[in-house]
Amino acid sequence: ARYEGTRARARAMTPTIACRMQRTIMVIIILMCVALAFAPAHAFKAHDFKTCATSSFCARTREAYAGVLDTHVVGEDAHVVGGGRETRARVVGVDRDAVRIELFSVRDDVFVEGVIETYASGAVRVRVDEQGESAKRYVPVDILTPSVASGASRVPLDVVSRTNAAIELRAVTDDGVIVRVVVALAPFKVDVFHGESAAPSASMNARGGFVFEKKHDAAEGETFEETFNGHKDTRKNGPMAVAFDVTFPTASDVYGIPERATTLSLKPTRAYESQSKGWFGLGGGGGNAAASGDGENGGARNETTIGEPYRLYNLDVFEYVEESAFGLYGSIPMMTAHGSSGGEPRTSGIYFHNPSEMYVDVNTDGANGVHTRWMAESGAMDVFILPGNSPAAVLRQYSSLTGTTSMPPMFSLGYHQCRWNYRDENDVKEVDQGFDEHDIPYDVLWLDIEHTDGKRYMTWDQSVFPTPERMINDVASRGRKMVTIVDPHVKIDDRYPVYKEAKDKGFYVKNNDGATDFDGWCWPGSSTYLDVTNPHVREWWTNKFSLASYKGSTKDLYIWNDMNEPSVFNGPEITMQKDLIHHGAVEHREVHNAFGMYYHMATAEGIKRRNDNKRPFVLSRAFFAGTQRVGPIWTGDNTADWNHLAVSLPMVLTLGVSGLTFSGADVGGFFGNPDAQLMTRWYQVGTYYPFFRGHAHLETKRREPWLFGEESTAIIRAAIRDRYALLPYMYTLFEESHRTGAPVLRPLWYEFPADAYAFKLQESFMLGSSILVQPVLTQDAKSVSVYLPKGVWYSQRTGTRVFGAKTIVEPVTLADVPVYVRGGSIFVRKDRARRSTAAMKGDPVTIIIALDENGEAHGTYYADDGESYEYASKNSAYMRRSMSFKNGALTIRAASDAEGGAGNANAFVDDSLVERVTIYGSVKSNTATCKATGDTFEVIS
């Protein structure tokens, strides 16, 4: 997806219509006028998008705290619980695995009901909803894992104590950790504790920010209707916002809630207020503490803010800006909080299970921790508190709720070459040959929207792609794949079988009358949108990817879902109206942030079925919680400048610590023309993105890797080759992510949670636990500062040993990227240069050993067939080996069950041989002998 501006869109659309479609001049003029009317201009235009002030639910709920009636009251008193009045609770039932409560405001007879549950992972769920089954709010389906959705993974809750003021509960997780939950009743508050910790991991409603606007009919003379930029929203159900606050008492930093182009550690969003405003207390008391800069417990208060709460609302955003709270293409309402207590690191988190539009305020408060406020337009208040108590534990708990990363097909971890657009079959052939001619490996060649017949997806423009099967088979003959784009908008054309069949079946999103099909504008012009919230529609869509249905496709063709926020050029904020109707008479506002994920799910399932139950590969731009189970995403329409290169790192790192590790940014930037230096530096960063793709806009200069001069070509070749050499290690990391939820690319604080200096670092990162990379992110850099946490480190380039924690300044040329191997690590590479991942199969491996201060190291190597699900079958068709080095000896053994299991040697054998061992640190010999076989091989130190 890309906004090329009014004139550029006219230029892009006209050749397709006039030359390829041979439409009449009248049609050309009409479509060009539509392009002029609906194409966003050539820069981010803030007035096209809402802020908290122009989102009525955010404006109502942001200042609604208990004891602040004179400041702000939410809605009509008769229909609101909380919202400026103290919220209280009473226990109405205690079951074996749930505690049921009623919540109400003082001097009020308006109630909502709540349930508190604990799950085997340690996650604590607080659900608040309308009373009565018929009044229940919308809760998204197929997002939570089956064991959570069904309640099967709930664990018993023991009542430790119960009084009129509070009830204390205790649960034991599946790994034996105690989780305590204290529910205060007057006022309502939920504290969640990890083990016997004195300070809670998280406190819900500690600031009195609870708001629940109950659904009600409009009173006489009352209207719920709203408009924005001329677009009307009927809001037939009236105001239905929910809001709450969560404090992380031991945290200094919070991370997550993607997607946006901003810092890794989220900056505060609002200026500090007096306690009478309610943010730092439950009202009352003077504001002197805040005015003097003293925290309630002596903590310093940082007045630097970004002013606007972080927004989560999937939107098609052109050339997004850095340092902005504005939400982009995807949303994951999950946050991780990190800090220390008593000198020990503490990590916790929250997941808000709600796909409607959302805003989140953040305030760091020194010794008082970090306060957050969550505001959603509608839906249930369904909150999971993740007590941690480490970064890895929080990711395990979150992954237990929404799933872990699906195992990718091996080819998808190679390099991908994309452009809007490769012109024709000969262009595809020349690009494919160019990689071989320049000895640069790659795995996948992509086609954007211009390959289709008039933007009718799953068709081919026969004038330039007359023999698509032959073209795909030719690329595949060298072990490579192809990808075509399939967007969610469907061109309105009765001659287009996909459109006609879905129309006849009633499969499209409806207007707010619930009867007529919604008609919006996108690349084809007038378009309809499949209602992928309907499981029957998803099943139908899945079958459209069969070879019989998608003519010209083969099993070596994979798919790219773009524009699935969904993007609607003539819609409010370039998306769907919120009062459109989905399956089950659900308004679009309720499902918006999950819409793209449902489309992604159906597409991936289609590729999986087409390929006889082998792993699919489908890239998506939009995402929600759970997308990690489906496939990768990328960070959208970035720009060829140094700022967007730099901000790509916190964006990808944030996605990783939010459970979605298979991501990357367009190498080189989608818009604009990078010079040789920027392009080279971007490839050096892209080497380590979990998803590694070069992509460019229609009007940019050609930028295949060999087009930037001999020096840059050589350096880019080396960077891409290094990616392929690292694939055995990266594949092992992806399997770890699949098993535990751990990110592939990690911020330093994730690996070094006790190192406070690392908490805000975002220009360096860890690849797994073994490799630290400090990329060069500034133009004309002659040196770069590298922070090395505590421990032993080795320069990958020189082998120099360095002891952390310290910062060193390392000189760099264009060819240099400081990379350090962590002492105590062992991992595997494949160093023979090949044209693709398929050509690497069976290649010998190099074992990298980096000794710690005791001369020891350990690591893991995982392998399977790289394409099937047999690793997860009863055959256990995989191999995992545990490697250790001690007393001068390298031991490789079958991994234990605690380490993930060894696999079944009768079902899968990795026949790669060890050809080299590289040891960082002191060794006494340059040869080694394998005791099992008697083979001797080279040792490099």
Side-chain angles (χ1 to χ4, degrees):
R2 62 303 290 160
Y3 293 154
E4 68 279 20
T6 298
R7 295 179 181 176
R9 187 188 298 278
R11 287 196 296 272
M13 293 182 72
T14 301
T16 300
I17 298 166
C19 299
R20 300 181 187 178
M21 298 300 296
Q22 300 180 352
R23 297 287 181 92
T24 65
I25 297 297
M26 180 66 73
V27 173
I28 295 172
I29 292 172
I30 291 171
L31 289 178
M32 287 182 66
C33 290
V34 170
L36 290 170
F38 298 127
H42 230 325
F44 177 78
K45 295 171 69 175
H47 66 266
D48 284 340
F49 301 100
K50 289 185 177 182
T51 64
C52 181
T54 53
S55 297
S56 62
F57 77 92
C58 184
R60 290 194 310 275
T61 61
R62 195 180 188 198
E63 307 299 335
Y65 293 94
V68 200
L69 278 173
D70 57 332
T71 304
H72 202 92
V73 179
V74 178
E76 295 293 328
D77 288 355
H79 306 295
V80 180
V81 177
R85 294 157 297 170
E86 182 178 280
T87 301
R88 294 188 176 184
R90 55 174 162 257
V91 177
V92 296
V94 179
D95 301 326
R96 183 65 177 139
D97 54 8
V99 172
R100 291 174 285 113
I101 58 176
E102 282 185 337
L103 293 94
F104 57 96
S105 296
V106 177
R107 303 182 305 279
D108 222 5
D109 59 357
V110 180
F111 300 91
V112 289
E113 60 186 30
V115 178
I116 298 170
E117 302 162 323
T118 303
Y119 290 79
S121 66
V124 175
R125 187 177 195 176
V126 181
R127 287 190 286 174
V128 180
D129 207 335
E130 306 266 9
Q131 289 183 311
E133 287 302 315
S134 62
K136 293 299 184 197
R137 298 285 184 95
Y138 175 78
V139 176
V141 297
D142 300 323
I143 306 295
L144 298 176
T145 58
S147 65
V148 174
S150 68
S153 60
R154 290 186 305 202
V155 294
L157 277 169
D158 296 325
V159 177
V160 176
S161 64
R162 181 175 178 179
T163 68
N164 291 333
I167 182 170
E168 181 174 351
L169 310 166
R170 181 181 181 274
V172 180
T173 69
D174 54 3
D175 56 359
V177 174
I178 294 172
V179 174
R180 293 182 294 127
V181 183
V182 177
V183 183
L185 304 177
F188 171 67
K189 183 178 71 161
V190 179
D191 288 331
V192 176
F193 298 81
H194 177 272
E196 301 300 330
S197 300
S201 301
S203 296
M204 181 179 180
N205 204 44
R207 303 286 159 180
F210 182 93
V211 177
F212 196 106
E213 295 181 324
K214 291 172 64 69
K215 179 180 176 180
H216 65 283
D217 296 328
E220 185 176 352
E222 182 183 16
T223 179
F224 295 146
E225 185 176 296
E226 293 182 345
T227 60
F228 177 75
N229 285 352
H231 297 280
K232 182 173 70 173
D233 178 7
T234 57
R235 291 206 316 157
K236 66 179 181 181
N237 293 320
M240 295 177 63
V242 294
F244 58 91
D245 59 85
V246 173
T247 291
F248 302 100
T250 63
S252 59
D253 296 82
V254 291
Y255 312 89
I257 55 171
E259 181 182 36
R260 65 204 78 256
T262 190
T263 54
L264 176 64
S265 174
L266 294 170
K267 293 181 178 179
T269 58
R270 52 186 293 163
Y272 291 105
E273 304 166 0
S274 67
Q275 290 183 358
S276 63
K277 288 280 188 77
W279 182 249
F280 287 103
L282 298 179
N288 294 335
S292 66
D294 296 329
E296 293 171 31
N297 296 318
R301 291 184 174 173
N302 178 0
E303 291 286 349
T304 302
T305 75
I306 61 174
E308 180 74 4
Y310 295 105
R311 191 184 189 198
L312 289 90
Y313 194 59
N314 296 2
L315 291 172
D316 185 356
V317 183
F318 165 83
E319 282 189 296
Y320 48 79
V321 295
E322 317 94 55
E323 295 301 316
S324 172
F326 191 79
L328 299 178
Y329 310 95
S331 301
I332 302 177
M334 183 268 186
M335 177 183 286
T336 298
H338 185 69
S340 62
S341 177
E344 295 295 325
R346 296 280 303 273
T347 314
S348 56
I350 176 179
Y351 167 56
F352 185 11
H353 185 50
N354 186 317
S356 69
E357 183 184 1
M358 191 179 301
Y359 288 85
V360 181
D361 264 319
V362 172
N363 287 80
T364 53
D365 189 22
N368 298 318
V370 179
H371 314 299
T372 65
R373 179 162 181 76
W374 302 68
M375 301 157 281
E377 182 181 20
S378 58
M381 188 182 294
D382 195 358
V383 182
F384 291 86
I385 297 172
L386 314 174
N389 188 39
S390 66
V394 168
L395 263 294
R396 281 197 303 272
Q397 289 163 354
Y398 173 71
S399 297
S400 74
L401 304 175
T402 65
T404 60
T405 299
S406 60
M407 278 300 288
M410 177 63 85
F411 77 83
S412 68
L413 303 187
Y415 175 65
H416 300 243
Q417 183 65 36
C418 186
R419 178 175 180 80
W420 180 27
N421 203 85
Y422 287 116
R423 297 182 299 270
D424 49 36
E425 290 183 1
N426 189 60
D427 198 7
V428 168
K429 181 178 181 179
E430 290 178 351
V431 171
D432 180 65
Q433 289 176 343
F435 279 89
D436 288 339
E437 290 168 0
H438 294 89
D439 294 322
I440 299 173
Y442 94 104
D443 262 78
V444 191
L445 190 60
W446 295 51
L447 296 178
D448 211 317
I449 56 177
E450 307 303 331
H451 82 277
T452 63
D453 176 13
K455 313 301 187 296
R456 298 170 182 86
Y457 300 108
M458 295 187 285
T459 68
W460 303 87
D461 183 342
Q462 292 295 315
S463 67
V464 286
F465 293 98
T467 57
E469 287 186 57
R470 182 209 56 78
M471 173 186 67
I472 298 166
N473 289 336
D474 180 61
V475 170
S477 69
R478 287 172 290 283
R480 293 165 177 154
K481 313 293 182 184
M482 291 193 69
V483 164
T484 54
I485 193 169
V486 178
D487 290 349
H489 46 266
V490 180
K491 182 180 179 67
I492 295 179
D493 180 356
D494 280 331
R495 296 169 298 174
Y496 178 29
V498 171
Y499 167 75
K500 183 66 165 59
E501 185 180 349
K503 183 183 78 168
D504 292 345
K505 291 179 178 292
F507 279 173
Y508 293 119
V509 176
K510 306 301 180 185
N511 289 309
N512 60 22
D513 60 11
T516 57
D517 291 343
F518 169 66
D519 180 343
W521 276 85
C522 210
W523 296 120
S526 190
S527 304
T528 49
Y529 292 74
L530 292 169
D531 184 7
V532 286
T533 68
N534 185 337
H536 300 296
V537 175
R538 294 202 300 272
E539 176 65 21
W540 174 84
W541 183 241
T542 289
N543 293 324
K544 293 295 128 185
F545 291 93
S546 69
L547 298 180
S549 181
Y550 188 172
K551 303 295 185 181
S553 67
T554 79
K555 291 184 179 181
D556 290 305
L557 182 69
Y558 294 83
I559 300 299
W560 169 20
N561 288 161
D562 198 359
M563 313 293 284
N564 54 334
E565 292 75 27
S567 179
V568 182
F569 291 158
N570 62 333
E573 300 191 273
I574 316 170
T575 193
M576 282 184 178
Q577 291 91 329
K578 290 182 175 180
D579 58 358
L580 299 183
I581 303 300
H582 290 274
H583 174 64
V586 174
E587 283 192 309
H588 182 71
R589 78 183 75 251
E590 305 281 2
V591 303
H592 177 86
N593 286 342
F595 180 91
M597 178 184 169
Y598 288 129
Y599 189 71
H600 193 194
M601 287 168 58
T603 304
E605 181 63 24
I607 299 302
K608 179 181 174 182
R609 290 187 193 177
R610 182 204 69 186
N611 282 16
D612 305 319
N613 206 40
K614 291 185 178 178
R615 302 176 210 172
F617 173 80
V618 178
L619 180 74
S620 174
R621 192 173 68 176
F623 57 85
F624 188 63
T627 288
Q628 67 272 12
R629 304 193 310 264
V630 183
I633 65 99
W634 89 107
T635 62
D637 296 348
N638 58 355
T639 304
D641 65 40
W642 291 90
N643 288 336
H644 272 221
L645 167 61
V647 81
S648 73
L649 287 179
M651 292 180 78
V652 172
L653 291 169
T654 294
L655 287 161
V657 298
S658 304
L660 183 49
T661 195
F662 199 1
S663 71
D666 283 342
V667 170
F670 178 69
F671 291 104
N673 294 300
D675 61 18
Q677 183 184 171
L678 176 59
M679 197 68 180
T680 302
R681 290 300 190 198
W682 214 316
Y683 270 102
Q684 291 169 334
V685 174
T687 297
Y688 303 97
Y689 290 152
F691 174 63
F692 185 19
R693 181 183 76 158
H695 186 34
H697 183 273
L698 181 73
E699 295 187 340
T700 62
K701 298 176 182 178
R702 293 294 287 257
R703 56 163 88 154
E704 284 71 42
W706 53 86
L707 296 178
F708 293 86
E710 290 186 10
E711 180 187 20
S712 287
T713 297
I715 298 170
I716 291 171
R717 178 189 300 115
I720 297 177
R721 282 184 175 180
D722 198 42
R723 164 62 166 233
Y724 279 78
L726 285 167
L727 284 181
Y729 176 52
M730 294 189 76
Y731 195 70
T732 298
L733 293 175
F734 266 96
E735 192 279 332
E736 180 186 358
S737 182
H738 172 67
R739 194 163 29 88
T740 70
V744 172
L745 211 66
R746 304 171 185 177
L748 266 63
W749 65 264
Y750 184 95
E751 282 295 318
F752 303 93
D755 188 341
Y757 186 79
F759 291 179
K760 288 182 171 60
L761 290 181
Q762 62 182 37
E763 294 186 346
S764 58
F765 55 85
M766 297 291 296
L767 181 63
S769 62
S770 301
I771 298 174
L772 185 151
V773 182
Q774 175 62 70
V776 181
L777 304 174
T778 55
Q779 191 172 15
D780 299 328
K782 303 301 181 186
S783 64
V784 63
S785 294
V786 185
Y787 176 71
L788 299 172
K790 184 179 179 180
V792 180
W793 298 89
Y794 301 90
S795 167
Q796 180 175 269
R797 180 170 58 87
T798 67
T800 302
R801 183 171 60 180
V802 181
F803 291 91
K806 69 164 56 173
T807 299
I808 61 175
V809 177
E810 187 167 326
V812 293
T813 67
L814 185 60
D816 297 327
V817 176
V819 177
Y820 283 80
V821 181
R822 185 180 183 180
S825 301
I826 303 179
F827 59 92
V828 170
R829 293 171 56 104
K830 287 190 175 183
D831 287 326
R832 294 189 180 183
R834 300 294 192 186
R835 65 166 31 141
S836 66
T837 56
M840 296 171 64
K841 189 173 183 180
D843 275 358
V845 302
T846 297
I847 298 177
I848 306 295
I849 302 173
L851 304 181
D852 63 14
E853 58 271 23
N854 298 316
E856 299 179 2
H858 65 274
T860 301
Y861 172 52
Y862 174 88
D864 59 28
D865 63 20
E867 61 178 14
S868 77
Y869 291 96
E870 285 299 301
Y871 68 88
S873 73
K874 62 182 180 181
N875 294 326
S876 298
Y878 67 89
M879 184 204 74
R880 182 181 288 105
R881 295 295 178 260
S882 178
M883 302 174 289
S884 60
F885 188 93
K886 185 176 182 180
N887 298 326
L890 171 63
T891 301
I892 302 176
R893 60 170 176 79
S896 67
D897 289 343
E899 295 168 317
N904 182 356
N906 293 320
F908 174 79
V909 175
D910 181 358
D911 53 8
S912 299
L913 301 176
V914 177
E915 70 172 348
R916 183 179 296 111
V917 176
T918 299
I919 300 179
Y920 293 95
S922 177
V923 292
K924 299 178 181 179
S925 175
N926 59 3
T927 62
T929 301
C930 176
K931 291 182 178 179
T933 65
D935 294 331
T936 299
F937 51 90
E938 180 183 14
V939 173
I940 300 174
S941 60

